Amino acid sequence: MTAPLVIRVKDRDNVAVAVHDLETGIEVMPGVLTRDPIPQAHKVALVDIPKGGEIIRYGVVLGYAKHDIACGSWINEHMLDLPQSPSVEHMEYGTHIVPMEELPTPPRTTWMGYKNAVGPAGTRNILGVVTTVQCAAGVVNKAVQKIKQELLPKYPHVDDVVAVNHPYGCGVAINAPLAVIPIRAVRNLIRHPNFGGQIMLVGLGCEKLTYERLLEPDEINAENCLTLQECKGHDAMMKALMDMAERKLQRLNQRRREALPLSELVVG
């Protein structure tokens, strides 16, 4: 069977997506010849679309044609009038919930993942080193390089070590109403399913974004938190980070994939 040149996601779609770059004059579907070169992953019109007509992909309206579009034409963002985005303050959610009995039977009901004590399972087994403030990023980045070179090879069941940095935490209005958004994001990253519940949070010592804002009270201890200003110099910082990472890697290395229900898998 010849591989398709385009992919039409839903039957009601009036456009299809090019699998790879297409030249002019290629028949991508019966009766549909490309009128323009179509770049890979871009849309080609499957029917004549009048000015103001709907552009439908994934079964939903992406926008409206600014002018008549002939069948086989390349459709790009400059050819569409986009619908007005709804206000996020009053946006409805959960408006297209399909009843369980109407869902198709999945070809598989389990997957191989890393089970966590709390929350969904992980798809990988990673040590995440999270900073409280951008001022700690340089030291943490250097430490992660060293950990990956010197420690990670000793723990074959751990997939990777990553630094989670962010441009926040120093001299900010920490109690401002919208400060809850970046703080919430960092809190959630610390608990990423792929990090296996092993908290390694590195602070500087003078930031506004303190451990108390990111961790639960029982999580704030020397096992999970490392303050760089308490170390006497660069070498002491590196040793403290390496020692802490090794303890975390030893625990992560004991984890193994296991068959888990699809309800344990979060895709996002």
Side-chain angles (χ1 to χ4, degrees), residues 154-233:
K154 296 163 53 178
Y155 301 100
H157 297 292
V158 182
D159 297 320
D160 201 0
V161 181
V162 297
V164 182
N165 297 317
H166 56 88
Y168 193 69
C170 177
V172 296
I174 202 69
N175 292 317
L178 295 183
V180 64
I181 298 173
I183 294 172
R184 182 181 61 200
V186 179
R187 283 182 63 92
N188 289 338
L189 283 168
I190 291 170
R191 293 161 178 79
H192 194 287
N194 287 353
F195 294 165
Q198 294 301 314
I199 297 172
M200 187 166 172
L201 184 60
V202 181
L204 187 61
C206 57
E207 61 269 31
K208 294 285 188 71
L209 186 57
T210 58
Y211 301 138
E212 290 77 12
R213 296 179 182 272
L214 298 174
L215 301 178
E216 298 302 318
D218 62 338
E219 296 172 331
I220 303 172
N221 51 55
E223 186 60 35
N224 296 327
C225 306
L226 195 158
T227 304
L228 296 179
Q229 288 179 349
E230 295 177 356
C231 301
K232 297 181 179 180

Side-chain angles (χ1 to χ4, degrees), residues 83-177:
Q84 183 66 39
S85 299
S87 168
V88 296
E89 297 297 330
H90 307 289
M91 185 183 294
E92 293 186 58
Y93 62 93
T95 58
H96 187 60
I97 298 175
V98 179
M100 286 288 294
E101 58 271 15
E102 295 181 16
L103 293 173
T105 301
R108 290 191 57 172
T109 58
T110 62
W111 63 290
M112 299 301 292
Y114 293 98
K115 188 171 183 61
N116 288 313
V118 178
T123 59
R124 299 185 69 198
N125 189 27
I126 297 173
L127 173 60
V129 186
V130 185
T131 59
T132 62
V133 63
Q134 75 268 31
C135 310
V139 173
V140 166
N141 289 341
K142 186 69 175 178
V144 165
Q145 291 180 0
K146 190 174 176 66
I147 293 165
K148 292 173 77 166
Q149 292 171 357
E150 300 180 17
L151 296 182
L152 189 58
K154 296 163 53 178
Y155 301 100
H157 297 292
V158 182
D159 297 320
D160 201 0
V161 181
V162 297
V164 182
N165 297 317
H166 56 88
Y168 193 69
C170 177
V172 296
I174 202 69
N175 292 317

